[in-house]
Amino acid sequence: PSTMCNPSRVAMWTGKRPSTTGVYGQHAQWNDTRVETKTMFQTFKDGGYNLYGGGKIFHHDTSVADDPAFDDLLLFRQSGQPDVAGTAGFLRYGTYDTSETNMPDYEVVSWCSNKLNQVHEQPFFIVPGIFKPHAPLWAPQKYFDLYPTNDIVVPITPADEFDDIPQAGIDLADKEGRYDPVADSGNVREAIQGYLACVTFADEQIGRMVDAVEASPHASNTIIVLWSDHGFHWGEKFHFAKSTLWEESARMPFIIYAPGLTDGTNCDRPMDSIDIYPTLCELAGIEPPTDLDGVSMVPL
């Protein structure tokens, strides 16, 4: 695995591991792989689907190439820095004195909801690429107000945390670069407050999208997948942010709803985001490429 935005997204949308594609870092394009790839989008396009999406799908750099399989895309845009902003080492957080309706993620969900409710003569695939809670941790003030800093518990890392970890793991944690600047800032609670605010804002946008599906004529035959590219450290293992192979980075939120199949229960079997591609193909009755690294989760 490679627990960063770009490689994990390339892995999911191509169904191939970074060890197969060679895409381990943030700057390679999704189509800049050392092996031939066919994205999930193109496979569904070939299967008769129209594709619509917006926001953060592959990565959020303005130079990221669009997948030509899409019929219509709302381009990614960042929200500007708020007037009230702070720093905790390399992390930035701050509040907007504005409504959530002005946030790009709100716009993405509205755009995708409108696409959902148009008249469709073919099956369709919609990707609302919600950016938050990615840093910088900007959100309207009302979301920060939900998490008073006095109530926030900062993870405690034992002083002897590295005693049973080999040097390669210590190097991976990069305590001097990825922990000390944040911890020494004195603003860890404020940064965590920003993260929780952004998570809640994102959760609200997910709820808006699910509500749109449930209110649409397509509620009974729409598969919903909630997925994130990686987790995030908040001081565990003397590390802030991502890019490690520990649980906090390597685990991700994942929920799949398939009408007539899923029943709301939890499955504790391990999976990998590369498994989503063959799973959706099987659920939709589409033949996947034969060279995918993942396996279908339908039996689970």
Side-chain angles (χ1 to χ4, degrees):
S2 187
T3 52
M4 294 185 288
C5 302
N6 187 57
S8 59
R9 288 169 182 269
V10 170
M12 186 224 181
W13 297 127
T14 65
K16 295 181 178 181
R17 299 184 187 281
S19 53
T20 299
T21 64
V23 179
Y24 278 96
Q26 296 286 60
H27 302 295
Q29 290 280 3
W30 61 266
N31 52 0
D32 183 21
T33 62
R34 62 188 177 198
V35 295
E36 185 174 342
T37 59
K38 184 177 183 181
T39 66
M40 185 194 307
F41 305 128
Q42 189 60 55
T43 293
F44 271 77
K45 184 72 173 179
D46 293 346
Y49 278 66
N50 287 333
L51 285 98
Y52 311 103
K56 181 169 181 173
I57 297 176
F58 281 104
H59 198 27
H60 58 274
D61 190 284
T62 54
S63 64
V64 173
D66 297 331
D67 190 322
F70 277 88
D71 295 275
D72 198 6
L73 271 172
L74 177 68
L75 297 181
F76 175 84
R77 73 174 179 90
Q78 281 272 24
S79 54
Q81 179 170 319
D83 293 333
V84 180
T87 60
F90 54 83
L91 295 172
R92 294 177 294 159
Y93 57 88
T95 62
Y96 289 114
D97 183 19
T98 185
S99 167
E100 67 273 17
T101 60
N102 295 320
M103 299 288 287
D105 286 338
Y106 191 99
E107 177 187 16
V108 165
V109 170
S110 297
W111 188 91
C112 288
S113 297
N114 288 335
K115 286 294 182 185
L116 173 72
N117 287 308
Q118 292 176 0
V119 176
H120 296 274
E121 296 181 356
Q122 294 176 254
F124 55 89
F125 191 128
I126 296 180
V127 188
I130 296 173
F131 179 68
K132 295 299 180 185
H134 195 289
L137 304 169
W138 316 137
Q141 180 68 52
K142 74 174 190 177
Y143 297 100
F144 279 73
D145 293 341
L146 296 171
Y147 303 100
T149 53
N150 290 339
D151 296 340
I152 290 173
V153 178
V154 178
I156 297 175
T157 303
D160 62 354
E161 181 69 279
F162 287 165
D163 285 2
D164 60 348
I165 293 175
Q167 188 61 47
I170 295 173
D171 293 342
L172 186 69
D174 185 18
K175 180 177 181 294
E176 292 76 15
R178 306 297 285 182
Y179 179 83
D180 291 345
V182 179
D184 293 346
S185 73
N187 297 327
V188 174
R189 280 185 171 84
E190 288 76 10
I192 295 176
Q193 181 190 38
Y195 185 73
L196 296 173
C198 290
V199 167
T200 301
F201 165 74
D203 186 59
E204 195 171 271
Q205 306 322 304
I206 293 163
R208 292 179 61 230
M209 193 71 236
V210 173
D211 287 346
V213 173
E214 291 182 340
S216 77
H218 313 289
S220 63
N221 68 343
T222 296
I223 299 163
I224 301 175
V225 177
L226 173 67
W227 164 85
S228 182
D229 42 16
H230 53 73
F232 207 86
H233 287 255
W234 279 105
E236 304 93 345
K237 297 290 184 184
F238 289 119
H239 189 84
F240 285 97
K242 51 195 175 184
S243 308
T244 77
L245 298 183
W246 281 305
E247 185 173 274
E248 287 77 12
S249 256
R251 292 179 70 197
M252 65 185 190
F254 178 67
I255 301 173
I256 187 166
Y257 166 74
L261 181 61
T262 52
D263 58 4
T265 59
N266 293 325
C267 177
D268 60 6
R269 298 287 293 275
M271 56 77 67
D272 194 319
S273 58
I274 58 171
D275 300 332
I276 298 174
Y277 189 159
T279 300
L280 288 181
C281 285
E282 182 172 349
L283 290 173
I286 292 176
E287 189 68 29
T290 59
D291 60 349
L292 300 183
D293 289 337
V295 295
S296 173
M297 292 178 284
V298 170
L300 301 182

